[in-house]
Amino acid sequence: MSDIDRAGLTQRFWETKKVTQMNDREWEALCDGCGKCCLNKLEDEETGEVALTNVACRLLDDATCLCSQYKIRHQFVPECIVLRPSNIEQNLYWMPETCAYKLLWKGEPLYDWHPLVSGQADSVHKAGVSMQGRTVPEFEISDDDWEYHIIEEPT
């Protein structure tokens, strides 16, 4: 029995719909809960290359890899990006390589460990793809020291 709340979701909707055709519930269900999008990144101004750090947004819960204030996050982090089909293309460059939104936008399938495929909410953690237990809070690290926290994306 799956521990994913599938009420109101068409079975395997991500295989039959384009991201631009998904309703809000389907769109939100695509998030695998890895926590990578909530990590601070460094962008090289000359090359545009983006480096991932293990320095997490102050709202990321390191144990669950979820935003602790998701519905009201903009009250605390006004610059938090609300990813939508209308803005995904301009945000692809910084998104994690394993991100369902990015994969589906590029016409690629979801990984077997994705909760929608596995039916288990914690499969992303069990696969070792999430940032669970791997982050440091941004309020503990000076902006000047983020470069010492650059990591490779867990894939």
Side-chain angles (χ1 to χ4, degrees):
M1 185 76 171
S2 167
D3 66 357
I4 300 289
D5 177 13
R6 296 180 184 270
L9 294 177
T10 304
Q11 189 171 1
R12 299 186 77 85
F13 65 89
W14 62 92
E15 294 178 338
T16 59
K17 290 184 173 184
K18 294 179 181 181
V19 294
T20 55
Q21 299 171 320
M22 293 179 189
N23 63 39
D24 288 343
R25 185 170 169 89
E26 291 166 335
W27 179 259
E28 289 291 324
L30 291 178
C31 177
D32 61 26
C34 71
K36 295 176 192 172
C37 62
C38 299
L39 298 176
N40 288 293
K41 294 132 187 100
L42 297 173
E43 184 175 355
D44 185 303
E45 292 179 13
E46 292 178 19
T47 66
E49 185 177 329
V50 176
L52 188 66
T53 74
N54 69 340
V55 181
C57 168
R58 69 196 76 148
L59 299 180
L60 182 69
D61 180 328
D62 184 73
T64 65
C65 290
L66 300 174
C67 180
S68 62
Q69 300 293 329
Y70 186 71
K71 291 190 186 281
I72 59 169
R73 66 191 183 278
H74 289 104
Q75 292 178 19
F76 303 99
V77 184
E79 66 275 14
C80 182
I81 295 171
V82 177
L83 191 63
R84 302 297 304 157
S86 60
N87 69 5
I88 191 172
E89 198 161 19
Q90 61 259 36
N91 287 296
L92 287 175
Y93 75 99
W94 64 261
M95 293 171 64
E97 293 303 312
T98 59
C99 179
Y101 299 105
K102 185 174 187 172
L103 291 170
L104 294 177
W105 184 262
K106 293 168 47 178
E108 297 175 18
L110 297 182
Y111 290 99
D112 289 342
W113 49 257
H114 191 286
L116 286 173
V117 177
S118 71
Q120 303 296 315
D122 65 347
S123 58
V124 66
H125 307 308
K126 288 179 179 177
V129 181
S130 79
M131 292 305 298
Q132 187 178 51
R134 302 180 192 203
T135 67
V136 293
E138 65 186 359
F139 54 81
E140 290 183 7
I141 307 296
S142 164
D143 294 3
D144 295 334
D145 290 337
W146 285 8
E147 66 185 287
Y148 302 113
H149 291 268
I150 292 174
I151 60 168
E152 293 293 320
E153 178 182 344
T155 56

